[in-house]
Amino acid sequence: MIFGRKKSLEGKINIEGVYPFDKDIFTQGLIKCNDDIIVSSGHYNTSFVGKLDLNNGKVNNKKKLEKNFFAEGIVSNNDFIIQLTWKENIAFFRNPETLEIEKYEHYAGEGWGICYDEKYLYISDGSHCLKRINNQNFQIEEIMEILYEGNKLNKLNDLEYYDGYIYANVWKSRYIYKINLSTKRVERIFNCAELINYCKKINRNINELNGIAHIKDNLFLISGKNWPRIFLVRLT
């Protein structure tokens, strides 16, 4: 929801590439890890993680979760790819090359999105709060309230970190919110309506905007649940 947004907060989205994407992917997380693009797909009985080939939209080295797990956001902390689960309170730590599970950790509350700032992990749970997590022991160190123009920014979902900011999807919103980690306030918003409309012309049955992967500088890959395309965009 946008609370009477200020024009000065609206950023620009420049599309610099459009790639095929598998519309059966219920995108819950999207990251760049080394030279790979990793995607996490949700739903019970069909959740998986795999490596995305941007040339054809196919997912390689796909690793399915057991049927009672609903996959959510993913992140690389340089040692592992960490994959959250929705209500199962378990984070899987995967080998970045093979994607095999090497260990797991428990956490309280729901898991939605996750990102890493080279020191701490940050987890969203669908509320207006982010949990700052110790990267060594996976314990909560701080619960951060995120505000947009003085209001609570609820339904925080997929997260991506870059250069002092967290870029966040909000569930069922067409906007990406750029959150200053120091102030815990939104400093810029990006309207993804053009991307959504592009995909709806191909497949009217797409679901929410979800999935932000930082590539380099201000370049990001952006997609959504059951989208037939994934976009390389510059956010300014």
Side-chain angles (χ1 to χ4, degrees):
M1 180 178 291
I2 300 295
F3 307 97
R5 65 184 183 274
K6 296 177 181 176
K7 203 73 175 176
S8 60
L9 293 185
E10 293 188 21
K12 294 181 180 179
I13 298 181
N14 296 313
I15 300 174
E16 303 207 357
V18 182
Y19 305 94
F21 200 55
D22 185 346
K23 64 180 178 58
D24 291 330
I25 297 175
F26 194 74
T27 308
Q28 298 290 73
L30 188 68
I31 61 170
K32 182 179 183 291
C33 179
N34 301 320
D35 294 325
D36 296 315
I37 304 300
I38 313 294
V39 62
S40 175
S41 180
H43 279 315
Y44 291 111
N45 202 37
T46 58
S47 285
F48 65 83
V49 64
K51 298 183 178 183
L52 176 68
D53 187 337
L54 286 178
N55 294 312
N56 55 28
K58 302 294 184 182
V59 177
N60 302 310
N61 198 24
K62 186 183 292 187
K63 305 297 182 185
K64 289 191 66 176
L65 277 70
E66 294 182 11
K67 63 181 181 180
N68 56 321
F69 289 101
F70 193 119
E72 284 282 349
I74 53 175
V75 71
S76 168
N77 71 346
N78 299 323
D79 295 315
F80 300 97
I81 291 175
I82 304 171
Q83 183 179 36
L84 300 181
T85 54
W86 181 26
K87 295 183 177 181
E88 292 70 57
N89 313 119
I90 291 178
F92 295 109
F93 286 65
R94 296 179 177 273
N95 182 293
E97 297 299 324
T98 67
L99 301 184
E100 296 290 351
I101 296 171
E102 296 194 356
K103 65 175 185 174
Y104 62 88
E105 294 279 359
H106 291 276
Y107 56 89
E110 294 184 2
W112 287 42
I114 183 170
C115 66
Y116 179 56
D117 70 355
E118 301 300 327
K119 185 176 181 180
Y120 297 103
L121 296 160
Y122 299 86
I123 292 178
S124 63
D125 59 9
S127 70
H128 72 288
C129 294
L130 297 180
K131 298 171 184 175
R132 190 176 74 181
I133 305 294
N134 187 302
N135 184 49
Q136 301 302 316
N137 59 26
F138 217 66
Q139 297 300 304
I140 297 173
E141 294 205 351
E142 181 184 0
I143 296 178
M144 304 160 44
E145 287 193 318
I146 306 302
L147 300 179
Y148 173 59
E149 296 188 338
N151 297 284
K152 296 176 181 179
L153 186 60
N154 285 302
K155 300 181 180 178
L156 290 165
N157 198 359
D158 193 37
L159 309 174
E160 181 66 299
Y161 173 84
Y162 170 58
D163 195 27
Y165 293 88
I166 288 178
Y167 293 75
N169 288 136
V170 166
W171 189 46
K172 294 193 174 180
S173 165
R174 66 178 184 270
Y175 293 90
I176 291 172
Y177 295 80
K178 183 180 178 180
I179 301 163
N180 187 319
L181 258 182
S182 297
T183 65
K184 303 169 181 62
R185 284 168 169 75
V186 173
E187 287 193 2
R188 195 167 293 273
I189 58 174
F190 300 94
N191 187 343
C192 295
E194 182 180 357
L195 311 185
I196 295 168
N197 292 335
Y198 188 112
C199 289
K200 280 187 174 180
K201 290 178 181 179
I202 303 169
N203 174 21
R204 294 189 62 184
N205 297 317
I206 66 170
N207 283 289
E208 296 87 10
L209 169 73
N210 209 39
I212 312 169
H214 178 247
I215 304 303
K216 65 176 183 177
D217 302 324
N218 290 323
L219 286 173
F220 296 80
L221 283 173
I222 294 176
S223 194
K225 301 173 183 178
N226 306 118
W227 283 26
R229 297 290 184 271
I230 186 169
F231 299 88
L232 180 67
V233 303
R234 188 176 300 275
L235 303 181
T236 58

